[in-house]
Amino acid sequence: MRLHVANPNSDAGMTRTIAAAAEAIAAPGTSIIATRSRTGPASIEGYHDGALAVSDLLARVADTSADAHIVACFDDTGLDAARCATSVPVVGIGEAACLIATQLAERYVVVTSAAVSIPVIEANLRRSGLATRCAGVHAAGVPVLDIAQGAGGPDDPVAAAVRRAAAEIPGAAIVLGCAGMADLAGALTKELDRPVVDGVAAAVTIAEGVVRLGLRTVKGGGYGARSSRQTLG
Amino acid sequence: MRLHVANPNSDAGMTRTIAAAAEAIAAPGTSIIATRSRTGPASIEGYHDGALAVSDLLARVADTSADAHIVACFDDTGLDAARCATSVPVVGIGEAACLIATQLAERYVVVTSAAVSIPVIEANLRRSGLATRCAGVHAAGVPVLDIAQGAGGPDDPVAAAVRRAAAEIPGAAIVLGCAGMADLAGALTKELDRPVVDGVAAAVTIAEGVVRLGLRTVKGGGYGARSSRQTLG
Amino acid sequence: MRLHVANPNSDAGMTRTIAAAAEAIAAPGTSIIATRSRTGPASIEGYHDGALAVSDLLARVADTSADAHIVACFDDTGLDAARCATSVPVVGIGEAACLIATQLAERYVVVTSAAVSIPVIEANLRRSGLATRCAGVHAAGVPVLDIAQGAGGPDDPVAAAVRRAAAEIPGAAIVLGCAGMADLAGALTKELDRPVVDGVAAAVTIAEGVVRLGLRTVKGGGYGARSSRQTLG
Amino acid sequence: MRLHVANPNSDAGMTRTIAAAAEAIAAPGTSIIATRSRTGPASIEGYHDGALAVSDLLARVADTSADAHIVACFDDTGLDAARCATSVPVVGIGEAACLIATQLAERYVVVTSAAVSIPVIEANLRRSGLATRCAGVHAAGVPVLDIAQGAGGPDDPVAAAVRRAAAEIPGAAIVLGCAGMADLAGALTKELDRPVVDGVAAAVTIAEGVVRLGLRTVKGGGYGARSSRQTLG
Amino acid sequence: MRLHVANPNSDAGMTRTIAAAAEAIAAPGTSIIATRSRTGPASIEGYHDGALAVSDLLARVADTSADAHIVACFDDTGLDAARCATSVPVVGIGEAACLIATQLAERYVVVTSAAVSIPVIEANLRRSGLATRCAGVHAAGVPVLDIAQGAGGPDDPVAAAVRRAAAEIPGAAIVLGCAGMADLAGALTKELDRPVVDGVAAAVTIAEGVVRLGLRTVKGGGYGARSSRQTLG
Amino acid sequence: MRLHVANPNSDAGMTRTIAAAAEAIAAPGTSIIATRSRTGPASIEGYHDGALAVSDLLARVADTSADAHIVACFDDTGLDAARCATSVPVVGIGEAACLIATQLAERYVVVTSAAVSIPVIEANLRRSGLATRCAGVHAAGVPVLDIAQGAGGPDDPVAAAVRRAAAEIPGAAIVLGCAGMADLAGALTKELDRPVVDGVAAAVTIAEGVVRLGLRTVKGGGYGARSSRQTLG
């Protein structure tokens, strides 16, 4: 099975982190094709970056042969549009992480990078219905690219934000709200004795599952064909 | 006052219709600058077209000097991203039309062009809260570009869909769910003795109002600055 | 264009403040007719005052010739009943202010006068759907008539409450939750670099817009005629 | 125990029907004091009638010595304002009927008199939370005063509407949505083998219960005192 | 009238407390039959205890001749299943207490025993729609059986939690969130000048009301018969 | 990896169908342990059957050594209680099927066996938030045990109900709402060119994913320990 992990941003290091997280969880026989943006922003922080990233992302989804695509930004950049662009499944890491969290706890908290992303994530959760189980979206106050350039160590501010969220909301799972945080999941799960969910890994397991189930994206409703022939320019 | 009416699609005829509708309602002293997409789809039908249209739209918002911008597609394409791109007000015609409808009736029905747009509009209404007052989003089953190329006449299928919606849901205002339908509002309002709201005209009155109130888009929350310097591809 | 600004309460000074705020924003050619209650309470604080104020308000709406009516209490006293009483548009200042706020920020906070009004306002917001974007309704703890008798100065407790709300909720617009607060909007907008919305001014721009759009209140649904002839006494 | 059953309208016949329904269910030792409006509309159909009825209703609540008050219109006219006007419990027949219905079925349907009342009832149900269990509000298309002047017989249109609602929505309780329908509850409960709830009787049992529990209306929040001394005129 | 008060747990002392609370409020002519679990947990704390308690509870409902049944645990253990098991009314003390609270205040707070019960109660409130009026579910941090073994005295931690909730949320009614707290309602109502509602007493008044109204549980929808003959083991 | 597939009912044939569906999708290295109820009802139709089935189900979850448990009834019988009973993941087939459906379409329809199950499923969907994406729960009107005894053939009433749902709601995924329908998914997916999701297979892929992610059920919140030692009988 080929999974296309499409990083909406253009940062090479972050794309390597994402690819490594996907490969680490992938089942035997699953190959990971990771791509990054050729024209988009170096990181996705907020609505504006997301809007600039989506066009290149859609082109990669259309051009990359795969059994399923994964949108590897926690904002699930262009997820609905990507589902229009292909008939194989498309999974977003934000949605995937929260779905997995609901299997393990009644509530979950998202800890994302910068505050500008909070409303984007909240809007996604309300649309999907996953907001019903969400106990809050927190921001670590760390730029995405700083996260990409190396988390870890006792002073890591993302880990500190995760610890605070866990302490504030007992009984909640923790969802890491940025693709660049993948490295933290294992250690924090152990330290906090609480499920700490990384979206990249979560999305790989869900994408593999949907492919094995033999199911494809519906062509109809909002994912159906538009009525007019599109003429560019 | 200068209002920039940005058509997210690239169709010249539809842009003329939109500009004419805006100019017809504009207050004395308001000048309308209408632009159309240079690279985007000829019409916006569904998520995929919207995603392809947004990048050029944002560039025009950033580059066009105006007291307020109007996103002239009923899907409110890229509205949040556009609000990040400028500090003057940005009004979407979908939101504007429904806001005006709530001032005149307890409920309203949207009649849009093609069925693929229904979920996009429903998602927008849920996000803004306007879904609370919405009694349904109907589709006339007509491609956007056909609407742009001339509505009117006794057999016009959009007008027929509006009449059906009005008959089905007594006491509701009707909202025309496509920028290309602007011509129909006046005649149908009279014929049906019911408020029939065109979004372009509605958005002009709201944009003028916000400018006269001396208010600007907040720079903070989801509309705030991203933390990182963006480096393109 | 004639706009009837109907103050549901009977306070002469507050009615002058409201009239001045309406005239300051009105477009050239708009004349403002401000009326106040002949029999109602001197101020509207909570459900009971609102109920006592509504009958005189409806009489003034029915008797005052105008192109649109504005209910000039943030509680939108009797708004639905007023829409039954006339076929020209009726705009409430509470709804108008919050509508304008949603054009400028993803969330807004209301700062009202006394705590007894909070549930009234919250109930209105839930009914209209505007609660979806509301980040809270705060009370300054100041009686309405004290506000009417002169705000301003460095120690003004309403301004202090607005500053606190702005600090607590970054990225939110601020809505002034009492008709008597109109004077504060301009200075606080500048001081806080945040949209601070006065409902009277907001309602004037929306009422003007609806009139220019040539639309009238729907006669049907909850605003339709009752089936029986009404016999008083 | 004295229960004041306050009919918001001024119709003498309907007031007798209401009083009889209350007396029929009242526990031994409960006396019913039924009053009707001196100045209000002959029947309450829609927002405008309700607004005209509320002031006299509040005066009667304030002036009538009782252990609890019942607002005997299915629209629960002025219920919140009445709770401000007294410290003894106030029960509305609309809310009471729906509360009882939720004890007997997962869903209930309301069958009211005229269509103009539907949005009033729906708004009340959304406010109280009871909308969650409501499967629809239907109208029999019969003026309130026609109902008051004698239902019954095989051709009664209200009974016909109840039968249709019961057939359409299996497993639902039926709520009679007008104080004048009290006579129908018993016979239709038997005929349809379904709980058919009359609000007047339901409200009497709830009011008696609250009084026996020794509880009174909270004085605080929206039911608290206003901050200012009220000066009429 | 015979009311069967079914304690889902097996604790004899707590069953006596419940029976006494029911008898204290019961109308003349109402006899209380209190039963306790023969096989279930000694107290109900959370989902797991509730699941273990339900089978014996259903057997008692089926076997006990009564005019109505009361499920005497604030979690409303097995309430829907019990309504399938009988055609007489079944009232849960959690739902009953919150219903009564909504008659006296716009909002209410629940104070329950242990934190593990909070999500159970919140889920019930969302299902019934009563969450709309709920301002929070607090836990006193006291095991159910400690409550059963004697509350009261100046240091009682449940009373302390009630006082804190009342102070935090002005204008709210207080709901005692455990059947074992019945003794506290009277004294705290007086002390706090706020309605403090005990579910057992509330349920008795509602059950008596429903019986007097001559209404029975609907047989249909989710309370209808299953299609298959059930064969155990 | 060992997955325990716990059928809440006692039917041997249906348990074999479930086991076969689980084994057909299981990854290499996953072993399926299927158990059925020793004391519970032969099929689960509605609240009452579900309540009778839960105690034996919890015992099997506690006693069966596994890496994850699957509750193999579409009602997700006792899912929360089962999550209290173990620290390994527990997945319900109802929730799993709907989660997978949301990855493939904006909306989904559930087609279940008998109408008595509809409110149970609707209540589950509201609790999980998945109702946001649900376009309806339909019933085929077929008893569970009839389904278990052999679907298929041109006249199969379940397949007919699935076809009707697909025709009524274009663009929606279809969810098979009963564990006994597993056989139908593949053929209907092909015939209808629409994702038709079987919950048993969906749950296996999700359970495998959660186990591979190394995550366990949170011990806290509603899934935490009760405060008191439980004493039976």
Side-chain angles (χ1 to χ4, degrees):
Chain A
M1 183 187 316
R2 283 166 60 88
L3 296 187
H4 173 213
V5 181
N7 181 3
N9 78 32
S10 63
D11 190 68
M14 193 158 163
T15 309
R16 279 192 297 272
T17 303
I18 290 168
E23 280 158 5
I25 189 76
T30 296
S31 63
I32 301 295
I33 301 100
T35 65
R36 62 183 171 109
S37 183
R38 295 155 297 193
T39 61
S43 67
I44 313 280
E45 299 195 350
Y47 294 113
H48 196 266
D49 287 345
L52 293 184
V54 73
S55 152
D56 183 80
L57 177 79
L58 293 177
R60 283 180 283 145
V61 165
D63 295 346
T64 306
S65 165
D67 294 296
H69 302 274
I70 290 173
V71 176
C73 173
F74 199 84
D75 295 359
D76 290 343
T77 319
L79 182 57
D80 285 309
R83 284 176 179 157
C84 297
T86 177
S87 58
V88 303
V90 185
V91 175
I93 68 166
E95 211 168 284
C98 299
L99 289 183
I100 291 294
T102 65
Q103 300 305 297
L104 298 160
E106 291 194 300
R107 304 191 299 168
Y108 63 89
V109 194
V110 177
V111 178
T112 190
S113 47
V116 74
S117 294
I118 292 177
V120 183
I121 294 170
E122 288 176 340
N124 286 348
L125 294 176
R126 276 195 297 269
R127 274 209 63 193
S128 66
L130 288 160
T132 309
R133 304 286 286 273
C134 180
V137 181
H138 299 192
V142 184
V144 170
L145 291 183
D146 289 6
I147 293 173
Q149 278 155 25
D155 301 331
D156 178 61
V158 175
V162 168
R163 285 182 198 108
R164 276 197 305 276
E168 271 175 39
I169 308 182
I174 310 291
V175 170
L176 298 174
C178 175
M181 296 176 178
D183 290 348
L184 294 170
L188 286 170
T189 294
K190 211 167 285 177
E191 174 190 331
L192 299 170
D193 195 18
R194 202 77 81 81
V196 178
V197 188
D198 162 49
V200 176
V204 168
T205 67
I206 288 184
E208 287 181 345
V210 177
V211 172
R212 282 162 49 203
L213 289 164
L215 300 172
R216 297 164 74 85
T217 301
V218 79
K219 295 287 100 180
Y223 300 159
R226 53 185 175 281
S227 55
S228 59
R229 205 169 47 80
Q230 177 188 320
T231 331
L232 288 188
Chain B
M1 182 188 315
R2 284 166 58 90
L3 295 187
H4 173 214
V5 181
N7 181 3
N9 78 31
S10 63
D11 190 68
M14 193 158 164
T15 309
R16 280 191 297 272
T17 304
I18 290 168
E23 279 157 6
I25 190 74
T30 296
S31 64
I32 301 294
I33 300 100
T35 65
R36 61 181 170 109
S37 182
R38 295 156 295 193
T39 61
S43 67
I44 313 281
E45 299 194 350
Y47 294 113
H48 195 266
D49 286 346
L52 292 183
V54 74
S55 151
D56 183 80
L57 177 79
L58 294 177
R60 283 180 284 145
V61 165
D63 295 346
T64 307
S65 164
D67 294 297
H69 303 273
I70 290 174
V71 176
C73 173
F74 199 85
D75 294 358
D76 291 344
T77 319
L79 181 57
D80 286 309
R83 285 178 178 155
C84 298
T86 176
S87 58
V88 303
V90 186
V91 174
I93 68 167
E95 210 167 282
C98 299
L99 289 182
I100 291 295
T102 65
Q103 299 305 296
L104 299 160
E106 291 194 300
R107 302 191 300 167
Y108 63 90
V109 193
V110 177
V111 178
T112 190
S113 48
V116 73
S117 294
I118 293 177
V120 182
I121 294 169
E122 288 176 340
N124 286 347
L125 294 175
R126 277 196 296 269
R127 274 208 64 194
S128 66
L130 289 160
T132 308
R133 304 286 286 274
C134 180
V137 181
H138 298 193
V142 184
V144 169
L145 291 183
D146 288 6
I147 293 173
Q149 279 155 23
D155 302 331
D156 178 61
V158 175
V162 168
R163 286 184 197 106
R164 276 196 305 275
E168 270 173 40
I169 308 183
I174 310 292
V175 169
L176 298 175
C178 174
M181 296 176 179
D183 290 349
L184 295 169
L188 285 170
T189 293
K190 212 167 287 178
E191 175 190 331
L192 298 171
D193 195 18
R194 200 78 81 81
V196 177
V197 188
D198 162 49
V200 176
V204 169
T205 67
I206 289 184
E208 288 181 345
V210 177
V211 172
R212 281 162 51 204
L213 290 164
L215 300 171
R216 299 164 72 85
T217 301
V218 79
K219 296 286 98 182
Y223 299 159
R226 52 185 176 280
S227 55
S228 59
R229 205 171 45 82
Q230 177 185 318
T231 329
L232 288 188
Chain C
M1 183 189 314
R2 284 167 58 90
L3 296 187
H4 172 213
V5 182
N7 180 3
N9 78 33
S10 63
D11 189 68
M14 192 157 164
T15 309
R16 279 192 298 272
T17 303
I18 291 169
E23 280 157 4
I25 189 75
T30 296
S31 63
I32 301 294
I33 302 99
T35 66
R36 62 180 170 110
S37 183
R38 296 154 296 195
T39 61
S43 68
I44 313 281
E45 299 194 350
Y47 294 113
H48 196 266
D49 285 346
L52 292 184
V54 74
S55 151
D56 183 81
L57 177 79
L58 294 177
R60 284 180 282 144
V61 165
D63 295 347
T64 307
S65 165
D67 295 295
H69 303 274
I70 290 173
V71 176
C73 173
F74 199 85
D75 294 358
D76 291 343
T77 320
L79 181 57
D80 285 309
R83 286 178 178 155
C84 298
T86 177
S87 57
V88 304
V90 186
V91 175
I93 68 166
E95 211 168 282
C98 298
L99 289 183
I100 291 295
T102 65
Q103 300 304 296
L104 298 160
E106 291 195 300
R107 303 190 299 169
Y108 62 90
V109 194
V110 177
V111 178
T112 190
S113 48
V116 73
S117 294
I118 292 177
V120 183
I121 293 169
E122 288 176 340
N124 286 348
L125 294 175
R126 276 195 297 268
R127 274 210 63 194
S128 66
L130 289 160
T132 308
R133 304 286 285 274
C134 180
V137 181
H138 300 192
V142 185
V144 170
L145 291 182
D146 289 6
I147 294 173
Q149 278 155 26
D155 302 331
D156 178 60
V158 175
V162 168
R163 286 182 197 108
R164 275 197 305 275
E168 270 174 39
I169 309 183
I174 310 291
V175 169
L176 298 175
C178 174
M181 297 175 179
D183 290 348
L184 294 170
L188 285 170
T189 293
K190 212 167 286 178
E191 173 190 332
L192 298 170
D193 194 19
R194 201 76 83 82
V196 178
V197 189
D198 162 48
V200 177
V204 169
T205 68
I206 288 183
E208 288 182 344
V210 176
V211 172
R212 281 162 51 204
L213 290 164
L215 300 172
R216 297 165 73 85
T217 301
V218 80
K219 295 287 98 180
Y223 300 159
R226 53 185 174 281
S227 56
S228 58
R229 208 169 46 79
Q230 176 186 320
T231 331
L232 289 186
Chain D
M1 184 187 317
R2 284 166 59 89
L3 295 187
H4 172 213
V5 182
N7 181 4
N9 79 32
S10 63
D11 189 69
M14 193 157 162
T15 309
R16 280 192 297 272
T17 303
I18 291 168
E23 279 158 4
I25 190 74
T30 297
S31 64
I32 302 293
I33 300 99
T35 65
R36 63 182 170 109
S37 183
R38 295 154 296 193
T39 63
S43 67
I44 312 280
E45 300 194 350
Y47 295 113
H48 196 265
D49 285 346
L52 293 183
V54 73
S55 151
D56 183 80
L57 177 79
L58 294 177
R60 283 179 283 143
V61 165
D63 295 346
T64 307
S65 164
D67 295 295
H69 304 273
I70 290 173
V71 176
C73 174
F74 199 84
D75 296 358
D76 291 343
T77 319
L79 181 57
D80 285 310
R83 285 177 178 155
C84 298
T86 176
S87 58
V88 303
V90 185
V91 175
I93 69 166
E95 211 168 284
C98 299
L99 289 184
I100 291 295
T102 66
Q103 300 304 296
L104 298 161
E106 290 194 300
R107 302 190 300 168
Y108 63 89
V109 194
V110 176
V111 179
T112 190
S113 48
V116 73
S117 295
I118 293 177
V120 182
I121 294 169
E122 287 176 340
N124 287 347
L125 294 176
R126 276 195 296 270
R127 273 208 66 192
S128 67
L130 288 160
T132 307
R133 305 287 286 273
C134 180
V137 181
H138 299 192
V142 185
V144 169
L145 290 183
D146 288 7
I147 293 173
Q149 276 154 29
D155 302 329
D156 177 61
V158 174
V162 168
R163 286 182 197 107
R164 276 196 305 276
E168 271 174 38
I169 308 183
I174 310 291
V175 169
L176 299 174
C178 174
M181 296 175 179
D183 290 348
L184 294 169
L188 285 170
T189 293
K190 211 168 286 178
E191 175 191 330
L192 299 170
D193 195 18
R194 202 79 81 81
V196 178
V197 188
D198 162 50
V200 176
V204 168
T205 67
I206 288 183
E208 288 181 343
V210 177
V211 172
R212 282 163 48 204
L213 290 164
L215 300 172
R216 298 164 73 84
T217 301
V218 78
K219 294 289 100 182
Y223 300 159
R226 53 184 174 281
S227 54
S228 60
R229 206 171 45 83
Q230 177 187 320
T231 331
L232 288 187
Chain E
M1 183 188 316
R2 285 166 58 89
L3 295 186
H4 172 213
V5 182
N7 181 3
N9 79 32
S10 63
D11 190 68
M14 192 158 164
T15 309
R16 279 192 297 272
T17 303
I18 291 168
E23 279 157 5
I25 190 74
T30 296
S31 63
I32 302 294
I33 301 98
T35 65
R36 61 180 172 112
S37 183
R38 297 155 295 193
T39 61
S43 68
I44 313 281
E45 299 195 350
Y47 295 114
H48 196 266
D49 286 346
L52 293 184
V54 75
S55 151
D56 183 80
L57 176 79
L58 293 176
R60 283 180 283 144
V61 165
D63 295 346
T64 307
S65 165
D67 294 295
H69 304 273
I70 290 172
V71 175
C73 173
F74 199 84
D75 296 357
D76 290 343
T77 319
L79 181 58
D80 286 309
R83 285 177 179 155
C84 297
T86 176
S87 58
V88 303
V90 185
V91 175
I93 67 166
E95 211 168 282
C98 298
L99 289 182
I100 291 295
T102 66
Q103 300 305 295
L104 299 160
E106 291 194 298
R107 302 192 298 169
Y108 63 89
V109 194
V110 177
V111 178
T112 189
S113 47
V116 74
S117 294
I118 292 177
V120 182
I121 293 168
E122 288 177 340
N124 286 348
L125 294 176
R126 276 195 297 270
R127 273 209 65 192
S128 66
L130 288 160
T132 307
R133 305 286 285 275
C134 180
V137 181
H138 299 192
V142 185
V144 169
L145 291 183
D146 288 7
I147 293 173
Q149 278 155 24
D155 302 331
D156 178 60
V158 175
V162 168
R163 284 182 200 109
R164 275 196 307 274
E168 271 174 38
I169 308 183
I174 310 291
V175 170
L176 298 174
C178 173
M181 296 176 179
D183 290 349
L184 294 170
L188 286 170
T189 293
K190 211 167 287 179
E191 174 191 331
L192 299 170
D193 195 18
R194 199 80 80 82
V196 178
V197 188
D198 161 48
V200 176
V204 167
T205 69
I206 289 184
E208 287 181 345
V210 177
V211 171
R212 280 162 51 205
L213 290 164
L215 300 171
R216 299 164 72 85
T217 301
V218 78
K219 296 286 99 182
Y223 301 159
R226 53 183 174 280
S227 56
S228 60
R229 206 171 46 82
Q230 177 186 319
T231 332
L232 288 188
Chain F
M1 183 188 315
R2 284 166 59 90
L3 295 187
H4 173 214
V5 182
N7 180 4
N9 79 33
S10 63
D11 189 68
M14 193 158 163
T15 309
R16 279 192 297 270
T17 303
I18 291 168
E23 279 157 5
I25 190 74
T30 297
S31 63
I32 302 294
I33 300 99
T35 65
R36 62 182 171 109
S37 182
R38 294 155 296 193
T39 60
S43 67
I44 312 281
E45 299 195 350
Y47 295 113
H48 196 265
D49 286 346
L52 293 184
V54 73
S55 150
D56 182 79
L57 176 79
L58 294 177
R60 283 181 283 143
V61 165
D63 296 345
T64 306
S65 165
D67 294 295
H69 304 273
I70 290 173
V71 175
C73 173
F74 199 85
D75 296 358
D76 291 343
T77 320
L79 181 58
D80 285 311
R83 286 178 177 155
C84 298
T86 176
S87 57
V88 303
V90 186
V91 175
I93 68 166
E95 212 168 282
C98 298
L99 289 183
I100 292 294
T102 66
Q103 300 304 295
L104 299 160
E106 289 194 300
R107 303 190 299 169
Y108 63 89
V109 194
V110 177
V111 179
T112 189
S113 48
V116 73
S117 294
I118 292 177
V120 182
I121 293 169
E122 288 176 340
N124 287 348
L125 294 176
R126 275 195 297 270
R127 273 208 65 193
S128 66
L130 288 160
T132 308
R133 304 286 286 274
C134 181
V137 181
H138 300 192
V142 185
V144 170
L145 290 183
D146 289 6
I147 293 173
Q149 277 155 25
D155 303 332
D156 178 59
V158 175
V162 168
R163 286 182 198 108
R164 274 196 306 275
E168 271 174 38
I169 308 182
I174 310 291
V175 170
L176 299 175
C178 173
M181 296 176 179
D183 290 348
L184 293 170
L188 285 171
T189 293
K190 212 167 287 178
E191 174 191 332
L192 299 170
D193 195 18
R194 201 78 81 82
V196 178
V197 188
D198 162 49
V200 176
V204 168
T205 68
I206 289 184
E208 287 181 344
V210 177
V211 171
R212 281 162 50 204
L213 290 164
L215 301 172
R216 299 164 72 85
T217 302
V218 79
K219 295 288 98 181
Y223 300 159
R226 54 184 174 280
S227 56
S228 59
R229 208 169 46 81
Q230 177 188 319
T231 332
L232 288 188

